[in-house]
Amino acid sequence: MENPVGNLISNLKRRNISGFYAKTISQAKELAESFIPKNSCIGISGSKTLDELGIVASLEARGNKVFNQYKPGISAKKSLEERNLGAQADYYLTSVNAISEKGELVFFSGYGHRISGIANAKNVIVICGLNKITLNLEEALKRSREYATVLNCKRLNWPAACLAQGVCRKEICLSPDYKRMCCQILIIESEINPDRVKIVIVGEKLGF
Ligand code: SF4
């Protein structure tokens, strides 16, 4: 396909999802920040993409209230509080595990806070590198589980069945010997309210 992003953005529009293209990571950061008023509060998900963007520190520095469950030294109780507050914030900022060329967004989650935030927030901003675009929904689900989640388990040293060998072993992952990360899956096929969900597609590899 010559212009996958152009087609993807048209496909997203049909689904009431606003798609934008940013050529570079820094343009993506600037664009995402321009969508968020400085006086609004923001929930975030754990995300290598957001880490690489450095957007959380930047939003905090300009005065936004960010419910950050990953603050260094935060207690488990406070972290849970921040996750719950973040899921109801004015804006929810996240990445996506995969997006199909037709515009279906796939999110996997362990505890479900990310899914709650994405499903309920008044405004959702999703950042997505070109590397996360798949041919179809089936491939998007496969990518989310067998590639992205396996790497996330490794990144977080999460004791799921994929941790030891670095490949998905879903056939044994429900055993009490493991802590499964693939617990909840959200697929956004379309939105009722146009512009609730904005997605910035970045013309570079970003996250995994
Ligand atoms: S199903 Fe289990 S083994 Fe497979 S990727 Fe998810 S957490 Fe890992």
Side-chain angles (χ1 to χ4, degrees):
M1 184 182 289
E2 273 178 41
N3 184 356
V5 175
N7 286 344
L8 174 55
I9 287 174
S10 304
N11 290 336
L12 287 164
K13 195 171 179 195
R14 290 175 51 229
R15 297 170 185 273
N16 270 343
I17 297 168
S18 301
F20 301 84
Y21 179 66
K23 199 169 169 201
T24 64
I25 291 173
S26 65
Q27 283 169 3
K29 178 167 171 272
E30 206 175 304
L31 188 58
E33 286 178 358
S34 76
F35 296 143
I36 304 173
K38 288 184 182 169
N39 59 354
S40 59
C41 59
I42 304 161
I44 55 168
S45 70
S47 157
K48 182 120 187 333
T49 292
L50 297 187
D51 290 349
E52 287 175 17
L53 222 59
I55 192 168
V56 172
S58 174
L59 289 165
E60 283 175 334
R62 73 175 203 179
N64 282 108
K65 169 65 192 162
V66 180
F67 298 111
N68 187 350
Q69 62 270 35
Y70 304 106
K71 263 186 214 132
I74 194 169
S75 68
K77 185 170 173 266
K78 183 71 183 157
S79 176
L80 184 60
E81 219 173 276
E82 294 283 292
R83 281 171 208 269
N84 288 330
L85 289 168
Q88 303 161 42
D90 301 329
Y91 283 77
Y92 197 81
L93 184 60
T94 185
S95 57
V96 65
N97 293 123
I99 176 171
S100 74
E101 284 183 5
K102 287 186 178 168
E104 294 135 319
L105 306 176
V106 175
F107 304 88
F108 274 48
S109 181
Y111 290 106
H113 292 100
R114 174 163 90 137
I115 285 180
S116 168
I118 294 163
N120 282 313
K122 292 184 216 81
N123 301 282
V124 179
I125 298 176
V126 182
I127 315 286
C128 174
L130 276 186
N131 48 311
K132 296 188 177 182
I133 301 172
T134 63
L135 270 181
N136 52 41
L137 180 58
E138 194 185 341
E139 288 296 316
L141 287 162
K142 191 173 159 67
R143 181 190 198 282
S144 300
R145 185 191 303 275
E146 295 179 16
Y147 180 71
T149 304
V150 168
L151 288 177
N152 270 324
C153 286
K154 187 176 172 199
R155 175 173 73 101
L156 301 168
N157 199 29
W158 185 287
C162 50
L163 184 64
Q165 293 166 9
V167 289
C168 175
R169 301 205 55 206
K170 64 177 182 240
E171 69 285 359
I172 58 166
C173 196
L174 289 173
S175 148
D177 294 340
Y178 303 109
K179 182 178 176 186
R180 187 177 170 114
M181 184 183 270
C182 299
C183 294
Q184 299 186 13
I185 301 170
L186 172 68
I187 299 171
I188 299 186
E189 291 189 343
S190 69
E191 283 289 311
I192 301 285
N193 300 320
D195 291 340
R196 189 188 81 91
V197 177
K198 292 183 175 61
I199 176 159
V200 179
I201 313 283
V202 190
E204 297 187 41
K205 184 179 184 300
L206 191 57
F208 48 68

